[in-house]
Amino acid sequence: MNDLFSSFQASSKEEWIAILKKELKGESIDTLNKINRVEEIAFPAYFHREDQKSTFSDPGLVPYTRGIQPKSNDWTIATGFRIKDPEESNREIIAALMSGTDHLVLEATNADPIDFHILLKEVGLSFIHTTFRAKSIEQVNQFLVFVKEAPALIEYADNDALLKTDLKAYLDKNPTLKLYHVDASSVQQAGGTTWQELSIALAEGHELLVKQLERGMDCDAAAAAIHFTFGIGSKYFFELAKIRAFRTCWAQIVSAYSPKHSCSLAATITARTGFLNTTLKDPYTNLLRQTTEAMSVVLAGIQHLNIQPYDWYSANSNTAFTRRMATNISLLLKEESYLQVVIDPAGGSYALDALTETIAERAWSSFQWIERNGSISNQEVRQTLASEIEEKAAIRVTEIKDKTEKRIGINIFPNPEQVENSWTELPLCWNNLKPLILEQTL
């Protein structure tokens, strides 16, 4: 391979720009410089080797910018289920597992006790991952007793309540258990930027790390108990760079506490599709959106991918179909595109490296501001961040209304067929912000 590169003469940046100007046929080269108004980030469409600021380590090595897996790029296919009738949910779960799902996302709809023996009858938990979105501490205890040492992730809105509950025994028995959850996807669903999403995730993750250390946990065990969920936006390269940037920043935070093992610096990440860009008026375009969204985070390297049914919050839902379509997207990316075997396919792109650094710098700067002003628990800090997210959401709405940003089926090329469906109420987002669905703003 070294001989191959030495066989060709390298071109300078000046020579490359001269070729670009020639190809533009009189148009200014500035037309290749793209500025994202929401992100406030310039993204030139051309880069040269001379523009590379730094060289990232290989996949599987600290700071894990290029991924935590050195031998594959595999991820779990996570599928969501609302628990109402355990017997009915069990039938849905078995059908999904037979269709390719290998990660169950179980969402409690109320705080009542759940019969997991019925819900998960004939499910081999040790062979899959299971995420449980609990509504009470009692449900968390129930679930942990049932799953024993199987791979499990807990999503509970009140991490402080979990910290005050004596759950250390479960962590000691189950090294795969992720007990504390940081839901950064709720920042994205509210209309926030990539770096706002990252800075809040870093701040909340750091606070969870410190609180565990204060309760006597060692750094390695404390870091291993935390997992993160990020939303997936429509800007393909920004979403790819966002995941890479977060891993870099999180590794920097954990390293400050001198863990014994380098693997403690690796973040556990679930990427989850949201509904900001989803349309119920032109439903099948959602499959195209979800495919590109999923591909962006898969190329960035994640452990878990949760493509939510696009009609998950609709009055006229057909989740048996949309859930299967969501699963099929991951199967297509694996079984037909083989993206699970290609390690860091984005590696070597100077443009993506530069974007990764830019997002990381913006996120780190915002994270430092949060820490200087009293941490993420400080109400004034939270309100300031919430106001800034609302400002970004307002810009997104303006761009959709004036068609600066175009979305097929939302503000351009409307579906000629009338679809009778409407949105139900989505959960409130970070700091009780209202969820943003662009289709509803028109």
Side-chain angles (χ1 to χ4, degrees):
M1 186 60 73
N2 290 334
D3 291 337
L4 175 63
F5 284 111
S6 63
S7 299
F8 296 90
Q9 183 178 353
S11 59
S12 67
K13 184 176 180 179
E14 289 74 18
E15 290 172 324
W16 197 24
I17 289 177
I19 294 173
L20 289 173
K21 288 180 177 178
K22 181 181 177 181
E23 292 297 325
L24 286 168
K25 299 178 180 177
E27 285 193 57
S28 172
I29 197 168
D30 291 337
T31 59
L32 298 180
N33 296 321
K34 308 299 180 182
I35 298 176
N36 188 303
R37 286 181 58 212
V38 176
E39 296 282 345
E40 298 178 272
I41 291 176
F43 184 53
Y46 64 94
F47 270 84
H48 188 269
R49 185 181 306 159
E50 296 175 16
D51 296 311
Q52 191 174 25
K53 297 179 182 178
S54 59
T55 303
F56 297 123
S57 63
D58 290 337
L61 298 178
V62 177
Y64 301 112
T65 307
R66 299 182 60 196
I68 70 171
Q69 301 183 85
K71 295 182 179 180
S72 78
N73 188 42
D74 206 3
W75 65 91
T76 67
I77 302 174
T79 303
F81 305 87
R82 291 193 180 109
I83 306 168
K84 294 179 180 177
D85 180 331
E87 290 187 356
E88 182 181 343
S89 293
N90 176 258
R91 288 191 290 270
E92 294 175 346
I93 287 168
I94 296 299
L97 291 170
M98 295 299 290
S99 300
T101 291
D102 59 7
H103 186 155
L104 305 177
V105 181
L106 309 175
E107 181 180 325
T109 54
N110 55 52
D112 296 341
I114 297 171
D115 191 335
F116 287 103
H117 290 89
I118 296 176
L119 179 67
L120 297 172
K121 182 182 178 181
E122 297 184 358
V123 176
L125 294 176
S126 60
F127 300 102
I128 62 173
H129 283 73
T130 307
T131 294
F132 180 43
R133 298 179 188 169
K135 287 288 192 295
S136 70
I137 295 291
E138 290 73 25
Q139 288 178 341
V140 172
N141 272 296
Q142 270 189 295
F143 176 74
L144 294 177
V145 169
F146 185 82
V147 298
K148 296 182 174 64
E149 297 178 12
L153 303 89
I154 299 295
E155 293 186 12
Y156 185 62
D158 191 350
N159 280 310
D160 283 338
L162 286 178
L163 285 162
K164 293 174 183 176
T165 307
D166 186 13
L167 300 173
K168 185 176 182 299
Y170 295 114
L171 290 169
D172 292 339
K173 291 179 182 178
N174 187 353
T176 66
L177 174 61
K178 305 296 178 183
L179 189 56
Y180 306 110
H181 178 233
V182 176
D183 183 13
S185 68
S186 62
V187 177
Q188 193 263 340
Q189 182 62 64
T193 64
T194 56
W195 47 270
Q196 286 173 328
E197 191 178 356
L198 296 196
S199 65
I200 289 171
L202 292 169
E204 292 192 348
H206 179 232
E207 186 170 77
L208 279 170
L209 184 66
V210 170
K211 286 181 177 180
Q212 288 183 83
L213 296 176
E214 290 173 346
R215 285 166 169 77
M217 292 279 285
D218 66 78
C219 179
D220 296 274
I226 302 171
H227 66 111
F228 301 86
T229 297
F230 291 100
I232 317 173
S234 62
K235 298 298 182 183
Y236 189 89
F237 295 120
F238 279 80
E239 296 303 316
L240 197 163
K242 176 180 77 177
I243 300 297
R244 300 168 106 226
F246 177 75
R247 279 196 300 264
T248 309
C249 294
W250 180 245
Q252 187 172 343
I253 288 176
V254 178
S255 65
Y257 294 91
S258 304
K260 295 177 183 177
H261 307 289
S262 61
C263 61
S264 299
L265 278 63
T268 298
I269 297 174
T270 298
R272 180 182 296 155
T273 58
F275 303 94
L276 189 147
N277 294 294
T278 302
T279 170
L280 296 180
K281 295 177 182 177
D282 196 358
Y284 297 127
T285 60
N286 296 314
L287 297 176
L288 301 176
R289 288 193 179 94
Q290 289 182 330
T291 300
T292 56
E293 288 173 357
M295 188 175 175
S296 66
V297 293
V298 161
L299 295 183
I302 54 170
Q303 289 94 321
H304 312 295
L305 176 60
N306 181 199
I307 302 175
Q308 300 193 93
Y310 58 74
D311 61 352
W312 195 238
Y313 292 101
S314 71
N316 245 358
S317 62
N318 180 17
T319 51
F321 171 75
T322 54
R323 182 188 286 127
R324 180 59 200 265
M325 290 299 100
T327 302
N328 283 355
I329 290 172
S330 264
L331 291 174
L332 285 168
L333 295 178
K334 284 190 180 191
E335 304 300 329
E336 295 194 19
S337 302
Y338 300 105
L339 295 184
Q340 83 279 20
V341 298
V342 183
I343 303 172
D344 188 29
S349 167
Y350 307 131
L352 286 174
D353 285 350
L355 186 57
T356 298
E357 286 194 353
T358 300
I359 293 174
E361 288 168 0
R362 293 293 300 271
W364 190 257
S365 177
S366 179
F367 164 68
Q368 288 180 314
W369 178 86
I370 293 170
E371 295 296 302
R372 283 197 307 269
N373 287 275
S375 85
I376 198 68
S377 295
N378 183 288
Q379 287 304 312
E380 290 185 8
V381 168
R382 295 179 71 86
Q383 189 53 52
T384 298
L385 293 171
S387 297
E388 291 173 350
I389 292 169
E390 287 179 319
E391 290 174 6
K392 296 300 182 183
I395 296 173
R396 292 185 190 276
V397 172
T398 299
E399 290 187 336
I400 286 295
K401 287 182 175 179
D402 65 18
K403 297 186 180 180
T404 305
E405 280 291 316
K406 297 177 176 60
R407 297 287 187 278
I408 293 175
I410 295 179
N411 64 352
I412 59 169
F413 304 121
N415 186 3
E417 297 180 10
Q418 189 72 22
V419 176
E420 296 298 329
N421 205 351
S422 60
W423 292 95
T424 57
E425 188 175 354
L426 270 71
L428 291 175
C429 297
W430 186 81
N431 205 50
N432 292 322
L433 287 170
K434 184 179 179 181
L436 175 62
I437 300 175
L438 292 174
E439 182 176 73
Q440 290 185 315
T441 65
L442 297 176

